[in-house]
Amino acid sequence: MKRFYKWALSFLVLCSTTFVAHSPVEAATVLQTGSQAGDVWDLQYRLQSMGYDVGKLDGIYGSQTKQAVIRFQEDYGLDVDGIAGSKTIGTLKKYSVNATEMDLLARLVYSEARGESYTGQVAVAAVVMNRLQSPKFPKTIRNVIFQAGAFTATDDGQFWLTPNSTAYLAAQDAVRGWDPSGNALYYFNPTTATSKWIWSRPQIKQIGHHIFTK
């Protein structure tokens, strides 16, 4: 009986190994006319957040979504075919945000700059978007925002305040490419800053109470 169990176990391991070795690699997601899924909704949301007209956010890859993809591909130097393959989706994710990330960005704007002008609020959001494109920082909105010591609001808990509609609009404008900061990677309040390092950064401009730097 022991021999049987030992043989059976060996057989199962062999079958499992064989199955894994010969299983086809999961194909990359390709979204095109007729596709219907949560991935399509995310695609639509990202395109819409960047200012491309996708029509209704319905999770259906229709003609308006296809045209939005074509315009995005034209704007970013991609092959123009109206199909959201791995390269198009990868580029879109690099320059856009999903719904959860938009909420995080709005929370940061509200907690860090709710007393600033609208331009000043957009500038704060733009710093986050600039960091996404810099090799010096993490590659996701969440990781940029929660990087240790990056933003005062995440340290003192104000980040979890409920943002208002203005904060969401400012976040959206930054995602769509408005950058009042002048391509800044940092900002600070000169009346409260205690770091000598931040004063050493090349300054670009001041908007309200914040100085934006390289």
Side-chain angles (χ1 to χ4, degrees):
M1 185 64 71
K2 289 183 179 180
R3 288 184 177 180
F4 173 78
Y5 284 131
K6 187 174 183 180
W7 174 86
L9 179 60
S10 299
F11 179 76
L12 289 172
V13 170
L14 177 62
C15 288
S16 176
T17 303
T18 302
F19 175 78
V20 171
H22 293 87
S23 293
V25 177
E26 184 177 350
T29 300
V30 175
L31 304 176
Q32 55 191 316
T33 302
S35 295
Q36 298 185 40
D39 286 341
V40 176
W41 191 94
D42 182 68
L43 174 80
Q44 292 173 327
Y45 183 90
R46 288 177 180 276
L47 287 167
Q48 186 184 73
S49 74
M50 296 181 72
Y52 296 96
D53 181 14
V54 299
K56 184 179 179 181
L57 294 178
D58 55 7
I60 300 173
Y61 202 116
S63 59
Q64 278 188 279
T65 298
K66 179 179 180 179
Q67 289 304 310
V69 169
I70 288 174
R71 290 193 294 275
F72 174 78
Q73 290 172 329
E74 291 172 341
D75 290 344
Y76 286 83
L78 301 166
D79 292 337
V80 180
D81 56 11
I83 297 173
S86 58
K87 191 169 184 179
T88 293
I89 292 174
T91 304
L92 179 62
K93 287 185 175 181
K94 182 179 180 181
Y95 292 98
S96 66
V97 299
N98 60 29
T100 299
E101 291 169 334
M102 184 70 80
D103 183 66
L104 293 174
L105 191 56
R107 285 180 180 275
L108 184 75
V109 170
Y110 186 74
S111 59
E112 288 271 319
R114 60 185 178 277
E116 299 297 317
S117 67
Y118 185 72
T119 299
Q121 293 183 47
V122 176
V124 166
V127 166
V128 177
M129 299 306 296
N130 292 338
R131 289 186 180 189
L132 281 179
Q133 306 309 317
S134 170
K136 299 178 181 178
F137 298 93
K139 292 304 178 185
T140 68
I141 290 283
R142 175 177 291 277
N143 289 343
V144 165
I145 289 175
F146 289 108
Q147 187 176 27
F151 297 102
T152 302
T154 59
D155 293 331
D156 64 19
Q158 291 191 61
F159 177 81
W160 301 108
L161 294 172
T162 301
N164 58 19
S165 59
T166 301
Y168 279 99
L169 290 174
Q172 186 177 69
D173 272 338
V175 171
R176 291 183 175 182
W178 183 19
D179 182 7
S181 79
N183 204 34
L185 292 175
Y186 307 93
Y187 63 87
F188 66 99
N189 186 327
T191 62
T192 60
T194 58
S195 168
K196 292 182 179 179
W197 177 84
I198 195 64
W199 282 101
S200 71
R201 305 302 304 171
Q203 296 184 12
I204 300 172
K205 65 174 69 173
Q206 182 164 352
I207 304 175
H209 296 92
H210 289 142
I211 293 176
F212 293 83
T213 74
K214 296 181 180 178

